[in-house]
Amino acid sequence: MHRVVPLPGRKSAHRNPAGCVAGKATQNTGQCRSAQRRSDPLSRSQKAPRPRSRRRRETPDMRTIGVIGLGNMGRGMALSLHRRGFAVMGYDPAPAAREASAADGIAVAEGPRALWRDCEAVVLSLPNPDVVEAVLLGADGPLHGAKAGLLVIDTSTSDPEVTRRIAAELAPAGIDLVDAPVSGGPKGAHAATLTMVIGGSDAAVARAEPVLAAMSATRVHVGGVGAGHVTKLANNLLCAAHLITAAEAVRMARDAGVDPERLLAGINAGSGRSGVTQVNFPTWVLNGAFDSGFTMKLMRKDVRLAEALIGSLDLDLPLSAQVGRLWRDSAGTAPDDADFNAIVKLQLA
């Protein structure tokens, strides 16, 4: 049975029968009805009940959801929202992205203004902070005509200071901004199994919960506006470092005569394990697949954003600085369009 982990120092919100807590650290439990039905299916002696459709009716104040950015991630999130019963309207400046989503049955607008006007909430899935700022504060942004009480959910990995500044400019117009950057890649976006770290006021995050729940399996509310982006940068900085240190550990052990797969089995049973050794290496590295759907260009951008945050805080973090240098200098080994796991080729080419 999924376990709910409330925020430290906060009272849990209402708990539904599946064990989820709206607006706090939760795990999406789909169609479970009871602890008995969620037991290991191999232990059941009776015939499993027929699964019911995951499609559900949206909450009254969240009927139509917009998605701006219909690339690998945004397209998957739009489809997940559509499957959960929301009316979805999408927009992307790229004609190919608009056509692909239209073929999926998503209503596609010719520009963002229609989304601000007709949607209760708009989800952003954009490549960098500059684009986010242009979309939200530009001439076609929500300040020039939006439905009353509009909620904006930014799932991009972005600069927390930019996020906070944008939120401050939107607030006088009655527009709430929630930052909810995601992990899980295109596969997780399509399957609604993403992990989200969320920044925003308690009220805004509670309003966003039905939308967030339709796109994700795990959600952790980590603080006010911008806190989600701080947390995501910390997470990706660790991932960037772990890819390098894991590759060096595998190189050391391989050259000392230990099979990499057996090495990782040992590491993953001990304290040195990480998401990289448990997921990335077996899924995309050791088999040579390198097809996670997340590129070197995007991870380099995230590492640069983490370095910029460190600099703005006037911190001396030497290991983080070295990780940043290795990612910047790896273009000859792993170009921007390569899978981000290709950084391991610095040691395992």
Side-chain angles (χ1 to χ4, degrees), residues 89-103:
M89 181 184 299
Y91 172 71
D92 194 291
R98 294 198 301 269
E99 292 167 8
S101 287

Side-chain angles (χ1 to χ4, degrees), residues 20-308:
C20 292
V21 177
K24 303 298 180 185
T26 68
Q27 291 189 330
N28 188 7
T29 55
Q31 296 299 315
C32 66
R33 297 295 181 222
S34 67
Q36 288 77 16
R37 287 189 182 180
R38 294 185 56 78
S39 61
D40 184 350
L42 295 178
S43 68
R44 299 175 188 171
S45 58
Q46 72 275 24
K47 183 178 179 180
R50 178 180 297 178
R52 297 188 182 185
S53 169
R54 293 184 63 190
R55 190 176 179 89
R56 62 150 173 85
R57 181 175 300 185
E58 67 275 13
T59 57
D61 69 333
M62 289 290 165
R63 298 177 293 273
T64 303
I65 310 301
V67 179
I68 297 179
L70 297 172
N72 287 338
M73 297 297 294
R75 180 183 175 190
M77 288 187 277
L79 285 170
S80 292
L81 288 163
H82 182 65
R83 285 195 302 268
R84 294 296 294 270
F86 292 100
V88 180
M89 181 184 299
Y91 172 71
D92 194 291
R98 294 198 301 269
E99 292 167 8
S101 287
D104 291 333
I106 302 298
V108 176
E110 291 300 315
R113 288 196 176 197
L115 278 68
W116 311 130
R117 182 187 66 236
D118 296 336
C119 299
E120 284 76 38
V122 175
V123 176
L124 306 183
S125 180
L126 300 171
N128 59 59
D130 291 339
V131 177
V132 172
E133 184 169 15
V135 166
L136 290 177
L137 300 182
D140 291 326
L143 292 175
H144 302 282
K147 177 174 283 194
L150 176 71
L151 176 67
V152 177
I153 301 169
D154 184 13
T155 68
S156 320
T157 300
S158 193
D159 182 330
E161 291 309 311
V162 172
T163 301
R164 288 164 177 158
R165 177 164 51 78
I166 292 172
E169 295 198 36
L170 296 179
I175 301 170
D176 281 329
L177 176 62
V178 168
D179 50 305
V182 299
S183 298
K187 183 177 179 180
H190 281 265
T193 57
L194 295 168
T195 293
M196 293 179 162
V197 283
I198 305 163
S201 69
D202 288 349
V205 173
R207 283 185 63 212
E209 170 62 14
V211 181
L212 302 177
M215 301 185 290
S216 64
T218 304
R219 298 171 298 287
V220 183
H221 184 192
V222 293
V225 171
H229 283 143
V230 172
T231 304
K232 185 58 164 37
L233 293 181
N235 178 84
N236 282 17
L237 179 61
L238 283 170
C239 182
H242 290 168
L243 279 164
I244 293 169
T245 56
E248 292 183 356
V250 170
R251 171 73 179 275
M252 176 190 71
R254 185 188 68 184
D255 289 3
V258 177
D259 175 75
E261 289 189 8
R262 293 188 176 188
L263 168 75
L264 289 175
I267 288 174
N268 290 335
S271 61
R273 66 187 181 275
S274 69
V276 164
T277 61
Q278 292 178 312
V279 178
N280 296 53
F281 264 75
T283 307
W284 299 302
V285 175
L286 294 184
N287 59 7
F290 293 101
D291 61 354
S292 71
F294 191 69
T295 65
M296 288 291 294
K297 180 178 181 179
L298 290 173
M299 184 56 110
R300 285 189 177 111
K301 179 264 294 183
D302 293 352
V303 172
R304 285 196 304 271
L305 288 173
E307 288 184 291

